[in-house]
Amino acid sequence: MRVLYFAWVRERIGIEAEDIDLPEGVATVAELAAFLGARGEGYAHAFENPRIVRAALDRRHAKPDTALGAAREIAFFPPMTGG
């Protein structure tokens, strides 16, 4: 799966994208965020408060309990504000 990181999520992790093989037992957006958060200090910092990190599966907003299914891409980003 292609994983994209935007804004301060990208800055904390230090990369803008990567390809990963989903580990067994990771089936939802929240489970993937938890898995990524355990990969190292930058990831832990980016996902330290999973309630504020947003996600999109194949360019559609996804809630934490959304199944990853056959999605090819997921993006993680902070909440957006208008102005």
Side-chain angles (χ1 to χ4, degrees):
M1 172 177 274
R2 184 82 171 154
V3 184
L4 307 172
Y5 307 107
F6 293 94
W8 56 255
V9 178
R10 176 186 62 229
E11 292 168 7
R12 292 176 183 185
I13 293 171
I15 58 174
E16 61 184 57
E18 64 183 319
D19 293 306
I20 65 165
D21 292 322
L22 291 177
E24 196 170 313
V26 172
T28 67
V29 170
E31 290 169 348
L32 179 56
F35 166 77
L36 293 169
R39 293 180 76 189
E41 186 177 332
Y43 290 94
H45 187 47
F47 291 100
E48 67 189 349
N49 188 350
R51 296 203 253 187
I52 63 170
V53 177
R54 304 294 185 250
L57 279 176
D58 290 335
R59 300 182 183 198
R60 292 184 168 228
H61 285 270
K63 293 184 179 188
D65 62 349
T66 301
L68 299 173
R72 296 185 341 197
E73 175 185 277
I74 187 167
F76 289 103
F77 48 93
M80 297 173 277
T81 59

